């Protein structure tokens, strides 16, 4: 019998990644022939090997922890502890009402205040957040997009009242609104008006804050929403192009602002793909920026922060998440990140505790100080595999970037909905692969423990936080100059209407006389309007992938039997309650149920419990499915059930899925929830259980 050659045997083991890139089990120098990004040095355009000649040998990456714990006072205490433990920069996570432009006294934010980050309503809250932390010495990163004007104004004034001038401030404001329309949904105003805000902030910072990055162009949230590495890479850089053009339209020259642009990528579990992604990003950005003829080489540099993946963390057997985060952090470092946040092991269940945050922080310290990683620049440079992957990502991302350009740029592409649909399809295919155990998640769909211990989780008393914030707001409004505040808000509205003047300058003036975040946001909303998304849901992805599976066929037959018995298909209304806009899981469930034969409707994002109950009754739904990620379920779900009772709709079942800690399950069942589904539950199992309770 003729024996296969080593090449033939190797070819049989080829693997196609979710990006459509074929990965071979063996790479040789032949795979590097003709690759355009080779033979360059670190610190030299196109910066594939790193933006600095010495990289970490000269200075390690900035160690950050992304944090926000209910009140400004509590978060300040955590920041101080992190700095004492070796952290070198601060990253602020804001709660959802703050992101969406609401003060804590607004009726739509019950259950969300301080729940998934720190609540900031005014300059006074920002001062409490940074009390005792010298802002002229500390690099501060703030993840804020929708309410970016008041938050940046509050930060500038908090520093001013410390005696720190704007030109002394260093750090980053995210200010990346396009990706909010793509995946994260914490927008306030429509796309065109939002881009005006982005441009005004870049213009102001270019003049007054030369050490501060006025935008962080984020692929991280695309990654978390299920985007492939190619999609994250291409759409992030396409967003960057849109922001460059917006800044140029303000009369700025490319070298006035481009050196202060920064990026933000997610780092997942395909180790070498993530290393190659960062290298490809630097190459592509230098290529794209060269078209604007910059005179300063730094205008072509892609500087990036990275965060280990949240979506790769598992609620089951969560100690495994320490290993996942370590590997992802290592990939970010080998890829050449400028700063890094490592997620804590319990972030698949809630906010990290002090203990788990310390483990996450120490993961970086160990990599930086115990491994020798910092002594060599781009240690994987020249790897046959990594260089080939880098090239493959460059080629694939170029095609997607050109597709966006053909649509008229990213703002137009966002309005068309195409990038959002592409990401949602990738997320669906990933979920199917997990459900079918084609991709292994240790402790979730393979090697699962029979009995798991309940981890100790941080629990936020949102009602107590809200009471404290209401007290602060009352005090502020009582002691400020009401007439000066009203005049400043009128001036802001006038500038918004006229299109003349800088919106950040006007916001700083309003914040100085103690206008609140909600007042500033609603003033602008009165001119710009509040954006409401209407995105279509994919169909047919589950059906095409699972049509030959017996389990899928059985579910379809059960739905058909229900329709025969009841005269109509089972109807599911899916809702997001409160200010949580993360809708990846909701879209996956919607597509799966629809492909199995359910009549599925998706409620508007940011619904109140009362609105969701009315919609369920008006549409004659059998079931309401609540998708929860940010821990508002203990307040919002009982309110939904009570609203159904008030409408005499006891027959409508309520089910919940998402981040639902085990300790909350009994509470939710006693409140009237019929079924609970945690991350990792196969979708077909969810559908079978729902059908079983309806029949």
């Amino acid at each position: 019998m003729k024996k296969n050659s080593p090449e033939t045997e190797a070819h049989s083991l080829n693997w196609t990644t979710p990006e459509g890139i074929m990965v071979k089990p063996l790479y040789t120098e032949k795979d590097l022939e003709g690759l355009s990004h080779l033979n360059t040095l670190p610190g030299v355009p196109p910066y594939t090997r790193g933006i600095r000649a010495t990289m970490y040998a000269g200075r390690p990456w900035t160690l950050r922890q992304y944090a926000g714990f209910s009140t400004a006072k509590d978060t300040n205490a955590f920041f101080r502890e992190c700095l004492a433990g070796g952290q070198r920069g601060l990253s602020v996570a804001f709660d959802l009402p703050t992101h969406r432009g609401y003060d804590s006294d607004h009726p739509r934010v019950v259950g969300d205040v301080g729940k998934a980050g720190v609540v900031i309503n005014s300059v006074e809250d920002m001062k409490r957040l940074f009390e005792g932390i010298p802002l002229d010495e500390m690099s501060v990163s703030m993840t804020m997009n929708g309410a970016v004007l008041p938050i940046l104004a509050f930060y500038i004034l908090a520093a001013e009242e410390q005696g720190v001038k704007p030109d002394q401030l260093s750090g980053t404001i995210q200010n990346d609104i396009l990706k909010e329309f793509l995946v994260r949904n914490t927008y306030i105003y429509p796309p065109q008006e939002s881009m005006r805000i982005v441009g005004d902030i870049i213009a102001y910072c270019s003049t007054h804050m030369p050490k501060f990055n006025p935008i962080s162009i984020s692929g991280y949230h695309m990654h978390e929403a299920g985007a492939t590495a190619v999609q994250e890479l291409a759409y992030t850089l396409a967003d960057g192009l849109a922001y460059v053009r917006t800044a140029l339209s303000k009369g700025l020259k490319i070298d006035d602002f481009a050196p202060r642009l920064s990026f933000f990528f997610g780092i997942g579990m395909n180790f070498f793909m993530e290393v190659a992604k960062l290298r490809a990003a630097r190459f592509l950005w230098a290529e794209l920026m060269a078209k604007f003829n910059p005179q300063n080489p730094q205008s072509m540099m892609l500087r990036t922060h990275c965060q280990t993946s949240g979506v790769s963390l598992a609620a089951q057997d969560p100690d495994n998440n320490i290993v996942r985060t370590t590997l992802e952090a290592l990939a970010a470092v080998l890829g050449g990140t400028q700063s890094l946040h490592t997620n804590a092991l319990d972030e698949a269940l809630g906010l990290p505790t002090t203990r788990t945050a310390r483990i996450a922080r120490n993961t970086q310290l160990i990599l930086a100080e115990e491994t020798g990683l910092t002594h060599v620049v781009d240690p994987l440079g020249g790897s046959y595999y990594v260089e080939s992957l880098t090239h493959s990502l460059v080629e694939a991302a170029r095609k997607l970037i050109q597709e966006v350009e053909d649509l008229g740029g990213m703002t137009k592409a966002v309005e068309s909905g195409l990038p959002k649909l592409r990401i949602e399809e990738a997320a669906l295919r990933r979920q199917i692969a997990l459900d079918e155990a084609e991709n292994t998640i240790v402790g979730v769909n393979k090697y699962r423990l029979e009995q798991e211990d309940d981890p100790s989780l941080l629990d936020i008393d949102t009602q107590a936080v809200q009471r404290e914030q209401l007290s602060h707001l009352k005090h502020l409004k009582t002691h400020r100059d009401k007439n000066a505040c009203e005049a400043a808000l009128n001036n802001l509205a006038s500038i918004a209407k006229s299109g003349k003047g800088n919106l950040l300058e006007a916001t700083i003036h309003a914040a100085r006389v103690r206008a609140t975040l909600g007042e500033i946001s609603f003033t602008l909303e009165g001119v710009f309007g509040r954006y409401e998304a209407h995105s279509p849901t994919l169909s047919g992805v589950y059906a095409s992938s699972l049509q030959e599976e017996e389990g899928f066929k059985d579910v379809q037959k059960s739905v058909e039997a229900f329709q025969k018995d009841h005269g109509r298909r089972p109807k599911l209304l899916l809702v997001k309650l409160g200010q949580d806009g993360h809708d990846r899981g909701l879209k996956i469930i919607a597509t799966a149920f629809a492909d199995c034969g359910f009549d599925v409707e998706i409620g508007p994002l940011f619904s109140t419990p009362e609105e969701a109950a009315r919609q369920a009754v008006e549409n004659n739904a059998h079931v309401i499915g609540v998708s929860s990620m940010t821990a508002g379920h203990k307040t919002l779900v009982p309110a939904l059930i009570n609203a159904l009772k008030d409408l005499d709709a006891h027959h409508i079942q309520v089910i919940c899925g998402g981040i639902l800690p085990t300790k909350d399950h009994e509470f939710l069942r006693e409140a009237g929830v019929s079924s609970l589904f945690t991350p990792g539950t196969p979708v077909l199992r969810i559908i079978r259980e729902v059908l079983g309770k309806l029949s």
Side-chain angles (χ1 to χ4, degrees), residues 7-37:
E7 291 82 3
T8 302
E9 290 184 12
H11 183 74
S12 69
L13 298 173
N14 287 350
W15 168 55
T16 301
T17 73
E19 293 77 16
I21 295 171
M22 190 188 73
V23 174
K24 304 182 296 183
L26 177 65
Y27 286 79
T28 68
E29 60 185 336
K30 291 182 180 179
D31 292 289
L32 304 188
E33 291 178 358
L35 299 193
S36 60
H37 69 274

Side-chain angles (χ1 to χ4, degrees), residues 27 37 67 80 95 181 192 268 293 306 312 335 349 361 428 531-532 554 563 576 587 624:
Y27 286 79
H37 69 274
R80 290 178 183 235
D95 74 346
F181 297 109
Q192 295 292 345
N293 299 314
C306 289
S312 71
L349 294 165
R361 184 170 63 251
L428 284 166
Y531 182 74
E532 293 184 14
D554 289 343
Q563 183 174 3
K576 296 288 295 186
K587 290 292 185 70
I624 300 180

